[in-house]
Amino acid sequence: MEKQNHSMVSEFILLGLTELRELQICFFLFFFVIYIAIVLGNLLIIFIVKLDPHLHSPMYFLLTISIWGCMTQMFFMHFFGGAEMTLLIAMAFDRYVAICKPLHYRTIMSHRLLSGFVILSWTIGFVHTMSQMVLTVNLPFCGPNVMDNIFCDLPLVIKLACVDTYTLEFFVIADSGLLSFICFILVLVSYTVILITVQQRPSGGLSKALSILSAHIIVVTLFFGPCIFIYVWPFNSFTGNKVLAVFYTVITPLLNPIIYTLRNQKMQGAMSKLQFQHVISTQNF
């Protein structure tokens, strides 16, 4: 390993989406409004669930930055990402039992099994992120420190190290890429089994099953698609696609309050009920 006479860097520089001041202001306002909508949408869900006792039961359970700040960001991103992938599989299994074996749902989806799913998801997320971070935090960064992206991620950070990272790059591909791909395939297989099972029934519930699963399939595709592309695509040709970053930070989180408010009948009923109670209380006052 050839030593290079460079001073060690202590921070990375994120270029963001653009360097034009006018576009920076436009992007800031645009994404700020979206983030506010995301926060308010999720707070609305929490508020409604808190006030309506009928919703207390589980519904389908389940831009400079310092080096250590960058490492912390990557740790939590892969920690929550790995946990979410496992939870999506658990949610797919939950929907399979609810749709294909409704009479046995409470027996199969017991609190013990649900607790096991949660513990397993956090365990996989922790193991997933630690297996990569223990190798990344010790990398020497003594050369370039500019990442053409809006957040830190392993492929870009590894490329900035001033040592040969060929082995580490393929380890990251095997770790993150295969985890994303396998989880994605398992979720799709579970939904396919659900649709085939429903189609074979004489009751004709295929359209209803499609209505229930369509929104979740879209979210799963938007979540896993960019992730698979980032970690399966060869490192030497990856250019830090900012569109994929926007999917993670804006599009996918925005879909959560939309699905669980606008498309969920129980949430709609609870919102109408609370609105009616508010109108009655206002009139009485």
Side-chain angles (χ1 to χ4, degrees):
M1 185 180 300
E2 183 179 354
K3 296 184 178 179
Q4 301 182 16
N5 187 17
H6 294 288
S7 59
M8 303 297 292
V9 300
S10 60
E11 62 182 19
F12 295 130
I13 300 175
L14 299 174
L15 294 182
L17 293 175
T18 180
E19 297 184 22
L20 296 178
R21 181 64 176 176
E22 295 78 6
L23 288 179
Q24 287 178 349
I25 296 175
C26 293
F27 283 139
F28 170 77
L29 295 176
F30 176 72
F31 291 128
F32 179 76
V33 171
I34 292 180
Y35 279 124
I36 292 298
I38 293 172
V39 173
L40 292 180
N42 284 285
L43 288 177
L44 177 63
I45 295 175
I46 297 174
F47 177 74
I48 294 174
V49 172
K50 182 68 177 179
L51 293 182
D52 194 327
H54 295 89
L55 297 176
H56 290 179
S57 59
M59 297 183 301
Y60 293 116
F61 186 82
L62 300 204
L63 268 132
T64 59
I65 184 171
S66 66
I67 285 185
W68 285 109
C70 183
M71 297 297 174
T72 302
Q73 187 182 79
M74 292 190 297
F75 172 87
F76 283 106
M77 182 171 66
H78 286 269
F79 175 59
F80 291 123
E84 185 173 353
M85 292 179 190
T86 310
L87 287 176
L88 287 173
I89 297 177
M91 292 172 66
F93 178 74
D94 176 86
R95 293 185 184 93
Y96 166 76
V97 176
I99 296 176
C100 300
K101 301 179 181 295
L103 298 179
H104 302 282
Y105 179 81
R106 292 187 177 276
T107 303
I108 299 175
M109 301 302 295
S110 62
H111 288 287
R112 181 177 182 180
L113 179 62
L114 297 178
S115 300
F117 277 142
V118 174
I119 295 174
L120 178 64
S121 66
W122 293 124
T123 302
I124 290 179
F126 181 78
V127 173
H128 166 64
T129 190
M130 285 300 297
S131 64
Q132 299 177 102
M133 295 308 301
V134 293
L135 301 176
T136 306
V137 294
N138 294 322
L139 290 176
F141 299 97
C142 54
N145 66 336
V146 177
M147 284 183 288
D148 191 13
N149 203 3
I150 60 176
F151 60 81
C152 292
D153 199 8
L154 281 170
L156 298 178
V157 172
I158 290 175
K159 292 178 72 69
L160 295 179
C162 51
V163 294
D164 183 14
T165 57
Y166 182 83
T167 303
L168 180 57
E169 291 175 4
F170 277 95
F171 174 77
V172 169
I173 292 177
D175 195 328
S176 298
L178 289 180
L179 177 63
S180 304
F181 184 75
I182 292 174
C183 291
F184 180 61
I185 294 299
L186 289 177
V187 172
L188 289 186
V189 168
S190 66
Y191 288 157
T192 302
V193 172
I194 292 174
L195 295 178
I196 294 176
T197 303
V198 173
Q199 187 180 20
Q200 293 175 347
R201 292 181 177 178
S203 59
L206 181 60
S207 60
K208 184 177 180 181
L210 284 173
S211 176
I212 295 174
L213 298 179
S214 59
H216 300 280
I217 292 176
I218 293 174
V219 173
V220 167
T221 303
L222 292 178
F223 176 82
F224 283 106
C227 186
I228 293 173
F229 182 87
I230 289 176
Y231 293 105
V232 175
W233 198 261
F235 271 68
N236 56 1
S237 61
F238 180 76
T239 59
N241 196 328
K242 299 175 184 178
V243 177
L244 303 179
V246 172
F247 266 94
Y248 275 122
T249 56
V250 179
I251 304 300
T252 305
L254 182 62
L255 292 176
N256 181 65
I258 293 177
I259 290 175
Y260 289 100
T261 53
L262 300 181
R263 291 184 56 90
N264 190 281
Q265 294 181 355
K266 289 188 176 181
M267 290 296 296
Q268 292 176 4
M271 293 171 64
S272 301
K273 181 180 178 180
L274 291 175
Q275 184 178 6
F276 177 76
Q277 292 176 349
H278 175 72
V279 172
I280 296 299
S281 62
T282 303
Q283 292 177 351
N284 293 336
F285 181 78

